[in-house]
Amino acid sequence: MIVAGPAVLAMRAGQGAAEPAYRRDSLRGSGVRQADGTQHLLAHSRYRNVRFSPGEITIGPEILARFRGQSIFGGILGQNFGHNLTQSIGRLWAADLAPDAPILFLPETPDSTSIPLYFHDLAQSLDVRNPLKLVSEATACDSLLVPEDICNLEHRPCASPYFADWLTLRRPHPPQQGDSAELVYVSRSGLGFSQGQYLQETVLEDALAANGYLIFHPEAHPVSNQIAVYAAARKLIFADGSAVHLWSMAAQPGQDVSVILRRPPEPRLDRWFRSLNCPQPTFVDCGIADFSRRGEGWHRTVALLDLQSLWTRLRALGFHKDLRSIGCERGLLDAWLAAFAPDVPGAGTLPFPADARSLDLLSRCRHVAVRSDFPQSGAWPLSGIEQPP
């Protein structure tokens, strides 16, 4: 039996549970129960920082749907691209055991009403041809295979050796060289203003384009095309974000990869790439400050980077040979920040010529946190991190 959707809310209400404070917590009682109502030990799921498992069931929910034959439990699926890539694929390996069985996912929140098309594309890119279904009501299954979740961002290691080997066998073959770009910069400059990014990204894009890089905006392409671009490249530079997780599933031996951090280093990034059979990215941290609406999390902040230092580090790492300088001098940036932090409305005149997008991003922010207010980057043990000299 799968407990999902309104059945979770009814079950919680029947147990006298309080209404959850956050919408993301409303379905955390979702999960799998055996025929006698007891929990299945392998069915516990983690998505973001929430653990999904049904509580004790005294009166079973009304069964509203049934899957005949054999099915596979796939875990939790939400609306966040990055978390779906890193927390909803850890049971796909079981498709080898039942290649015709539907894989059943539970929604993270009531807002999740269908499986994103890109997730179908990702599964097929990994040679998983099973039908994918989202279960949002109390459902009985004639036979439900419950595989262990062996790849999840919250695990240590994130992926088991078995999953890493399973993924290696399914990595796509690079397309024939020709029109495929060998140098690729994966940008965030085309994303919506509510998604995290950094100021003056177009300055970096122009400099990289002048050095032969394809400027790639992944959100404008289907997942299958993104995977083909990542698999074909010889050198890739990513603006810190979930696109680099998709690359990890298409990574090829010998690729050089760098990730330009827009947030303080995160240890889970290191664990993720080290647990997969892929080249280890170098993380370049040249962050100076973070602009935001007060109280917003890292996923929405707008970072100010030391572009001069970043360009120097990329050259030292072999991603270009251009000796010119880009961006604004660090001393001018520090003086500018010191004049108005932490309240952005008094920012005054920018020390660099800002493009329209940067001006629009700044106009939406009301607070700035200078990175010296946080622990130094070295406090996060990312083994591949590169910091400004």
Side-chain angles (χ1 to χ4, degrees):
M1 177 175 62
I2 295 177
V3 182
V8 177
L9 305 178
M11 181 184 69
R12 291 169 63 96
Q15 296 169 349
E19 184 72 17
Y22 300 100
R23 190 165 182 80
R24 279 182 49 209
D25 291 339
S26 60
L27 296 184
R28 66 185 308 167
S30 302
V32 175
R33 284 286 176 170
Q34 299 182 103
D36 61 0
T38 59
Q39 293 187 6
H40 193 293
L41 295 179
L42 293 181
H44 299 303
S45 300
R46 292 197 69 88
Y47 189 90
R48 297 199 182 185
N49 60 347
V50 174
R51 186 171 184 266
F52 289 80
S53 181
E56 294 298 325
I57 296 180
T58 54
I59 300 177
E62 180 185 359
I63 300 299
L64 299 178
R66 176 177 290 274
F67 278 93
R68 302 292 182 182
Q70 188 169 57
S71 306
I72 301 172
F73 178 59
I76 307 298
L77 196 67
Q79 297 176 316
N80 183 284
F81 180 78
H83 285 282
N84 286 345
L85 292 183
T86 56
Q87 296 190 281
S88 301
I89 64 170
R91 293 182 167 94
L92 292 182
W93 61 270
D96 292 351
L97 305 178
D100 297 322
I103 303 178
L104 310 182
F105 291 90
L106 306 183
E108 179 205 9
T109 68
D111 301 328
S112 303
T113 57
S114 62
I115 293 179
L117 291 177
Y118 67 76
F119 198 81
H120 288 279
D121 291 345
L122 172 64
Q124 293 195 12
S125 296
L126 298 178
D127 202 28
V128 174
R129 307 293 175 178
N130 304 56
L132 307 182
K133 305 290 185 180
L134 193 71
V135 177
S136 56
E137 56 190 359
T139 301
C141 300
D142 287 351
S143 174
L144 183 65
L145 177 63
V146 183
E148 185 177 358
D149 182 5
I150 56 175
C151 181
N152 194 299
L153 192 64
E154 299 289 342
H155 293 177
R156 295 181 180 228
C158 294
S160 74
Y162 180 87
F163 186 89
D165 291 342
W166 178 87
L167 179 62
T168 297
L169 293 174
R170 285 155 181 77
R171 292 190 189 280
H173 296 292
Q176 294 295 322
Q177 296 299 318
D179 294 334
S180 301
E182 290 196 349
L183 307 176
V184 177
Y185 173 67
V186 184
S187 170
R188 292 181 68 83
S189 66
L191 296 179
F193 289 114
S194 64
Q195 295 175 288
Q197 46 209 280
Y198 53 84
L199 298 175
Q200 295 298 90
E201 186 172 6
T202 55
V203 173
L204 178 62
E205 289 178 353
D206 291 345
L208 288 172
N211 283 271
Y213 278 79
L214 167 70
I215 309 304
F216 188 68
H217 295 90
E219 70 280 359
H221 301 269
V223 160
S224 56
N225 183 222
Q226 295 176 44
I227 287 175
V229 169
Y230 300 157
R234 178 171 54 88
K235 293 180 182 291
L236 296 115
I237 303 172
F238 287 86
D240 176 13
S242 55
V244 71
H245 291 297
L246 182 59
W247 161 78
S248 70
M249 299 173 197
Q252 304 296 313
Q255 288 182 318
D256 289 331
V257 177
S258 183
V259 179
I260 300 171
L261 293 175
R262 59 184 169 85
R263 303 165 285 188
E266 225 292 342
R268 290 181 302 177
L269 281 176
D270 201 38
R271 292 204 304 269
W272 175 265
F273 297 109
R274 289 199 167 275
S275 64
L276 298 177
N277 298 330
C278 67
Q280 300 305 298
T282 299
F283 300 91
V284 182
D285 183 17
C286 294
I288 300 174
D290 302 283
F291 292 82
S292 67
R293 297 182 178 92
R294 192 179 297 273
E296 286 188 335
W298 292 115
H299 63 294
R300 291 186 177 179
T301 56
V302 178
L304 174 67
L305 306 185
D306 181 348
L307 289 180
Q308 285 195 356
S309 180
L310 171 62
W311 192 244
T312 299
R313 292 306 307 144
L314 291 176
R315 182 170 61 244
L317 291 168
F319 286 91
H320 69 85
K321 298 180 180 180
D322 193 336
L323 295 177
R324 65 174 169 163
S325 179
I326 69 170
C328 181
E329 293 181 10
R330 174 63 184 267
L332 294 176
L333 294 174
D334 288 338
W336 173 60
L337 290 170
F340 66 85
D343 297 316
V344 174
T349 304
L350 296 177
F352 49 84
D355 57 39
R357 184 175 183 84
S358 293
L359 290 174
D360 203 342
L361 286 167
L362 281 174
S363 71
R364 297 164 187 267
C365 298
R366 294 294 179 267
H367 181 75
V368 61
V370 179
R371 287 286 177 91
S372 59
D373 294 342
F374 297 96
Q376 292 300 307
S377 296
W380 282 268
L382 267 70
S383 54
I385 193 168
E386 286 286 341
Q387 298 181 38

